[in-house]
Amino acid sequence: MADNKNVRYLNPIAIDTKSERYCRFREKGFKYIDYKDPDFLLMLINEQGKILPRRLTGTSLKYQRRVGKAIKKARHIALLPYLADQLR
Amino acid sequence: MTRNRYETVFIITPVLSDEQTKDVIKKYKDLLKDKGAKITHEENWGMRKLAYPIQKKSTGFYYLMEFEADASVILPFETEFRRDERVIRFLTTRMDKFHIEYAEGRRDRETDRREKPKQTAAGTETKA
């Protein structure tokens, strides 16, 4: 069993390259996420109209819940589609 | 009775004439008034394209109303919406303090946008 010392990986393992993500809502001091302007919410959903997960957008749990609620309300009043193809 | 601030957005079916849409809006405003509600702000988004067809229609007439009312007013108000087939979708939300603050801010932005000379169609005032 080759000991670990001279084991060389094919490509360098990414340890610290994960950029430090921040919650843009907390940075900018958002107090309320409005469900009425779709063009802001468009940034938070992907091409199929699904809500982007926190690990991609980096938002904190508190604001992710508000975003989720706002997007579902916007979908209810047909400002955002439930499912779409290449929304951008 | 606790008195809260509410905000209602509703979509009127596009097949109505301009006259009929006006009296749908008037009907709900009067309904609120004689229930003792105070309408603080209204917005007419006009005819907009829906993100998905509702009842086989792809456009709808949006109207936003912000009002202050007793909590007991909301249930009959919403059953009236359900009964009325001219309104195809409605959403009433209670406004918490952040929402109220945001709405006030939005109203100033809205008014200074309206001050600009309006090139859009005289009747409907588009939001964006």
Side-chain angles (χ1 to χ4, degrees):
Chain A
M1 223 284 284
D3 54 16
N4 272 343
K5 264 195 302 309
N6 48 31
V7 164
R8 275 183 296 102
Y9 294 97
L10 289 178
N11 42 39
I13 43 175
I15 297 170
D16 52 5
T17 54
K18 188 173 78 60
S19 66
E20 207 282 317
R21 263 195 294 272
Y22 60 93
C23 166
R24 61 175 121 180
F25 297 106
R26 215 184 350 210
E27 292 296 308
K28 292 204 183 70
F30 268 74
K31 283 281 190 304
Y32 170 73
I33 295 173
D34 193 18
Y35 63 92
K36 292 192 294 297
D37 55 352
D39 24 21
F40 173 71
L41 295 175
L42 270 182
M43 289 191 288
L44 299 158
I45 56 177
N46 68 4
E47 292 76 34
Q48 287 141 20
K50 293 177 176 178
I51 302 174
L52 285 176
R54 281 179 61 215
R55 65 174 189 276
L56 294 184
T57 55
T59 54
S60 62
L61 182 57
K62 174 179 171 183
Y63 285 100
Q64 180 72 11
R65 282 197 207 105
R66 290 187 188 169
V67 163
K69 268 202 178 52
I71 288 177
K72 284 169 191 165
K73 280 183 187 161
R75 284 176 179 163
H76 179 63
I77 50 172
L79 292 175
L80 283 182
Y82 277 96
L83 50 92
D85 37 14
Q86 9 83 12
L87 201 59
R88 282 289 174 274
Chain B
M1 201 55 193
T2 57
R3 216 175 149 75
N4 301 322
R5 290 277 297 267
Y6 294 98
E7 185 184 57
T8 307
V9 186
F10 56 95
I11 311 177
I12 302 171
T13 169
V15 292
L16 297 180
S17 73
D18 222 8
E19 200 43 54
Q20 285 160 329
T21 31
K22 279 205 180 47
D23 77 43
V24 171
I25 296 171
K26 218 179 83 51
K27 169 187 166 189
Y28 285 103
K29 269 200 273 190
D30 300 345
L31 186 77
L32 275 181
K33 281 203 182 66
D34 50 28
K35 285 218 177 352
K38 187 167 73 63
I39 299 182
T40 49
H41 179 59
E42 288 158 59
E43 258 171 49
N44 175 353
W45 294 356
M47 197 68 76
R48 267 177 82 125
K49 204 173 154 343
L50 301 178
Y52 52 89
I54 301 177
Q55 294 174 8
K56 312 282 188 304
K57 299 180 184 60
S58 69
T59 61
F61 194 90
Y62 279 73
Y63 199 82
L64 167 79
M65 264 200 302
E66 256 177 64
F67 56 95
E68 191 190 325
D70 289 343
S72 63
V73 167
I74 295 303
L75 189 58
F77 182 56
E78 292 222 321
T79 41
E80 195 53 45
F81 270 126
R82 285 194 188 90
R83 222 178 272 138
D84 187 343
E85 78 278 356
R86 292 171 299 185
V87 175
I88 48 178
R89 190 70 52 105
F90 63 92
L91 176 70
T92 313
T93 41
R94 192 163 70 92
M95 297 171 74
D96 57 12
K97 60 183 186 323
F98 296 127
H99 191 167
I100 294 170
E101 203 183 292
Y102 176 83
E104 249 102 40
R106 187 168 181 274
R107 212 172 294 158
D108 316 337
R109 280 196 301 277
E110 196 66 22
T111 39
D112 59 42
R113 192 179 301 142
R114 213 171 285 141
E115 252 65 54
K116 281 217 307 293
K118 284 210 298 296
Q119 307 86 0
T120 59
T124 59
E125 161 228 348
T126 54
K127 187 172 84 61

